Amino acid sequence: IYARQAKKTIVTLAKGTVNTVTDGSKYADSSDENAPDAAVFSQGDLSINGSGSLTVKANAANGIGTKDDLVITGGKISVTAANDGLRGRDSIAIKDGTFTINAGGDGLQANNDEDSDKGWISIDGGQFAITAEKDGLQAET
């Protein structure tokens, strides 16, 4: 899933649904800094809500990612990623949900180091099982 020009993308996991996203082993235009680097990727803000399930198998890089803010308010989310599981460059805000993350990099990462008001992770509920080669949670600020 690639939301290239939207200011905000909302993915709703409808009650009772089972959803799966899998990417290939590389992206066609990985040299472009604006190219996607996640199986579910948005250039703008990305929100995931609902009570259904989402399984992401990211063979190339990150599982779920955005160049801006990542907000998750529910669902059963399982991510296996070659690199980071969940990545919100500016922030990650989680209100609820059940998460199983297996990452070759960080489990959750917010890495904006250019603005002291960004690069943070907020968790206000949910259940987490994170296995990561690097940090379970990595926030720049």
Side-chain angles (χ1 to χ4, degrees), residues 115-134:
D115 185 336
S116 62
D117 292 333
K118 298 180 180 180
W120 51 266
I121 296 173
S122 172
I123 297 174
D124 186 22
Q127 298 176 353
F128 297 83
I130 300 172
T131 303
E133 290 290 320
K134 294 184 179 177

Side-chain angles (χ1 to χ4, degrees), residues 81-140:
N83 194 27
D84 301 328
L86 304 178
R87 177 187 258 179
R89 176 161 165 70
D90 290 347
S91 69
I92 298 174
I94 296 174
K95 175 69 175 159
D96 198 7
T98 302
F99 301 85
T100 303
I101 299 172
N102 293 295
D106 298 322
L108 282 71
Q109 184 189 78
N111 64 345
N112 187 330
D113 60 358
E114 297 169 2
D115 185 336
S116 62
D117 292 333
K118 298 180 180 180
W120 51 266
I121 296 173
S122 172
I123 297 174
D124 186 22
Q127 298 176 353
F128 297 83
I130 300 172
T131 303
E133 290 290 320
K134 294 184 179 177
D135 299 324
L137 306 174
Q138 196 280 325
E140 194 63 38

Side-chain angles (χ1 to χ4, degrees), residues 6-116:
K7 288 184 181 181
K8 183 173 188 173
T9 301
I10 300 171
V11 176
T12 299
L13 306 174
K15 183 178 181 178
T17 63
V18 177
N19 307 278
T20 304
V21 175
T22 303
D23 66 3
S25 61
K26 65 180 183 172
Y27 298 126
D29 193 12
S30 61
S31 63
D32 180 359
E33 70 178 39
N34 293 316
D37 64 0
V40 177
F41 179 80
S42 175
Q43 286 289 346
D45 295 340
L46 175 61
S47 294
I48 299 174
N49 63 34
S51 61
S53 71
L54 173 62
T55 299
V56 177
K57 174 69 172 145
N59 298 297
N62 305 311
I64 299 172
T66 173
K67 295 284 186 177
D68 290 332
D69 300 315
L70 174 61
V71 176
I72 301 174
T73 62
K76 181 177 180 183
I77 298 172
S78 176
V79 177
T80 301
N83 194 27
D84 301 328
L86 304 178
R87 177 187 258 179
R89 176 161 165 70
D90 290 347
S91 69
I92 298 174
I94 296 174
K95 175 69 175 159
D96 198 7
T98 302
F99 301 85
T100 303
I101 299 172
N102 293 295
D106 298 322
L108 282 71
Q109 184 189 78
N111 64 345
N112 187 330
D113 60 358
E114 297 169 2
D115 185 336
S116 62

